[in-house]
Amino acid sequence: MMMYRDDFKILDQKVYGRPLVYLDNAATTQKPQVVIDALRSYYEQLNSNIHRGVHYLSQKATDEFEMARETVRRFINAKNSYEIIFTRGATDSINLVAASLGRTCLQAGDEIIVSEMEHHANIVPWQFLCEERGCILKVIPINEEGILQIDKLPELISSRTRLLAITHVSNTLGTINPIKKIIEIAHNQNVPVLIDGAQAVAHCKVDVQDLDCDFYCFSAHKMYAPMGIGVMYGKEEWLNKMRPYQGGGEMIKQVTFAKTTYNELPFKFEAGTPSVGDAMGLKVAIDYLENIGMEKIATYESELLNYAVERLTTIPGIRIYGNAPQKSAIVSFNIGKIHPSDIGTIIDKLGIAVRTGHHCTQPIMDHFGIPGTVRASFALYNTKKEIDDLYEAVDRARMMLE
Ligand code: PMP
């Protein structure tokens, strides 16, 4: 994948006098030049508010925005483009479903199931519903390998279960959950399923019709696209049932002080001015990924993961958290009793960018009884040489801190 590295100029720099080794891709990926160019050309040539304008620029920007929606539809193989709702990101998407579904369908005593490996963005919005509506949160546990204990799912589902909200890929453990099977189990009990796809869409092919999920949420910035935009895919039947999340311009059909009626999909869920330039950047990022090929990316990243695990496991005292057989290119680890942030701080000075801490997954930290981990996460532009650099830096930090 070396040929694509030149598309990411930001990687070609030194920090503290050393070549930057960027291994914080689960937090956000870098953007290829074509995406940066798309943003620039939007603001240089096309900037205009959409949908409401009769003038040329507004119509052209509207067409581009809707083309971006169609590109997202194709990318995740949704049935209809109006099932693609643009949001600010995965967090916004999940909050949208929680608020909207909560208002529409949930009552005291209703149950929502999440898993122990969820990002806080897929826990806290459901806890709001528990506080506000008297709903009950149930949790699918994980085991010591960081694998979901799916055999516990059937006994967690009851006649009061209204939703299962689960991550496709864990941002801390790297575990790829067998979501197709999980969705089938839930659907057999008439329970709809929301998938948090924030860590999946840039790393494997996602087909929402094949998965048959009811909702699929993700952020653009983790898939080589701009920050500030994301997607909530929802099946038409659910989106029609749900009340809007936010009120304002664009989401209405008619407003009087006596009564307001809502716009059709997808606009019913897109109150206010959307991030048009970012949508165009997202379209270009998807084209970029598809041009390389999602399978090729998945295969390459899996090679990087295997190499990283092979090298890092030779470091004395290291423990890797998350050893599922189906794993995304994320390695979380600790060395003995050394605090993860001490390792992170030392290797930063050697040019290596990783993340340390709880990664917004405190229940995972509680499970393992640790304050945090060091997390290296890989993307299509990373190299084995960078993994060697990571290994050497971490081992050096170990020798300094032990
Ligand atoms: N879910 C998962 C699994 C994530 O990794 C993240 C980002 N760390 C989110 C949700 C939230 O994404 P965002 O901050 O882009 O809204």
Side-chain angles (χ1 to χ4, degrees):
M1 294 289 207
M2 274 309 275
M3 60 195 283
Y4 301 108
R5 202 172 159 96
D6 288 345
D7 298 335
F8 299 85
K9 289 202 179 71
I10 195 170
L11 299 174
D12 189 21
Q13 65 175 295
K14 291 193 167 159
V15 294
Y16 309 109
R18 289 175 173 263
L20 169 67
V21 175
Y22 185 79
L23 302 176
D24 193 20
N25 295 288
T28 199
T29 54
Q30 301 302 346
K31 322 303 172 200
Q33 195 57 42
V34 282
V35 169
I36 297 167
D37 291 346
L39 284 178
R40 192 186 164 117
S41 82
Y42 169 74
Y43 286 107
E44 276 180 357
Q45 294 163 28
L46 210 58
N47 179 49
S48 179
N49 211 329
I50 55 167
H51 291 139
R52 283 160 290 228
V54 286
H55 63 83
Y56 176 85
L57 281 188
S58 174
Q59 286 184 6
K60 191 119 198 291
T62 304
D63 290 348
E64 295 283 346
F65 187 69
E66 292 308 320
M67 215 132 63
R69 196 190 305 277
E70 170 56 21
T71 302
V72 174
R73 183 208 66 74
R74 204 194 56 233
F75 185 58
I76 61 169
N77 194 32
K79 196 163 162 198
N80 305 296
S81 62
Y82 53 78
E83 293 173 310
I84 305 297
I85 311 295
F86 282 123
T87 64
R88 286 192 301 116
T91 304
D92 197 32
S93 298
I94 299 169
N95 275 276
L96 189 167
V97 179
S100 189
L101 197 78
R103 275 187 205 165
T104 314
C105 310
L106 295 186
Q107 284 159 10
D110 284 345
E111 296 166 359
I112 297 154
I113 301 177
V114 296
S115 89
E116 201 179 359
M117 68 166 79
E118 297 312 310
H119 187 281
H120 297 162
N122 200 26
I123 300 175
V124 185
W126 310 115
Q127 286 177 324
F128 287 165
L129 288 179
C130 295
E131 275 173 27
E132 288 162 16
R133 303 231 146 206
C135 298
I136 297 157
L137 198 65
K138 289 181 157 182
V139 183
I140 311 171
I142 57 171
N143 67 16
E144 286 310 286
E145 301 301 322
I147 300 170
L148 268 190
Q149 296 184 264
I150 297 171
D151 52 322
K152 300 274 196 303
L153 178 58
E155 69 202 50
L156 288 170
I157 297 176
S158 81
S159 61
R160 297 302 303 266
T161 310
R162 295 290 173 263
L163 185 76
L164 168 61
I166 196 157
T167 194
H168 193 163
V169 173
S170 162
N171 63 307
T172 298
L173 305 165
T175 311
I176 303 174
N177 288 318
I179 53 169
K180 192 166 175 183
K181 189 169 152 204
I182 292 171
I183 291 164
E184 206 180 296
I185 296 170
H187 281 180
N188 281 339
Q189 307 290 325
N190 292 320
V191 173
V193 183
L194 174 144
I195 302 293
D196 173 356
Q199 294 295 341
V201 275
H203 307 283
C204 61
K205 177 82 195 115
V206 170
D207 181 331
V208 292
Q209 287 190 79
D210 179 55
L211 291 171
D212 200 25
C213 54
D214 300 273
F215 302 98
Y216 195 96
C217 304
F218 56 97
S219 302
H221 71 92
K222 292 180 198 280
M223 51 186 293
Y224 308 95
M227 287 187 172
I229 190 164
V231 170
M232 189 277 279
Y233 156 80
K235 273 188 190 162
E236 179 178 7
E237 54 177 296
W238 280 108
L239 298 183
N240 279 333
K241 244 186 266 179
M242 282 157 43
R243 278 192 61 196
Y245 168 47
Q246 294 180 317
E250 202 55 49
M251 51 74 70
I252 51 88
K253 195 170 268 165
Q254 191 159 33
V255 177
T256 68
F257 285 114
K259 184 173 169 55
T260 290
T261 51
Y262 307 131
N263 205 340
E264 61 200 25
L265 295 175
F267 312 112
K268 173 178 152 186
F269 291 104
E270 292 181 353
T273 301
S275 204
V276 183
D278 294 329
M280 289 171 58
L282 173 57
K283 177 191 177 299
V284 171
I286 289 173
D287 291 344
Y288 182 83
L289 285 173
E290 287 186 327
N291 199 24
I292 300 173
M294 294 312 293
E295 278 178 19
K296 202 165 145 193
I297 293 170
T299 306
Y300 179 69
E301 289 180 354
S302 159
E303 264 174 46
L304 289 180
L305 172 70
N306 291 340
Y307 186 64
V309 171
E310 189 189 305
R311 292 240 58 192
L312 291 172
T313 44
T314 63
I315 295 176
I318 197 163
R319 168 157 184 202
I320 293 176
Y321 299 90
N323 299 296
Q326 300 294 320
K327 222 186 123 159
S328 191
I330 292 174
V331 185
S332 262
F333 63 89
N334 277 327
I335 301 174
K337 295 258 172 285
I338 302 173
H339 199 280
S341 64
D342 291 340
I343 297 175
T345 307
I346 289 176
I347 68 174
D348 171 52
K349 297 292 180 294
L350 300 169
I352 318 269
V354 292
R355 189 144 295 242
T356 64
H358 55 63
H359 318 298
C360 299
T361 54
Q362 283 181 351
I364 296 180
M365 302 303 133
D366 291 345
H367 179 100
F368 290 106
I370 50 175
T373 71
V374 181
R375 182 188 71 185
S377 51
F378 305 97
L380 64 89
Y381 40 65
N382 288 125
T383 63
K384 288 189 175 171
K385 160 81 174 63
E386 289 180 309
I387 291 170
D388 291 336
D389 294 342
L390 170 72
Y391 163 81
E392 275 158 30
V394 170
D395 203 39
R396 198 161 143 190
R398 173 189 67 84
M399 287 188 278
M400 287 168 70
L401 293 164
E402 245 174 14

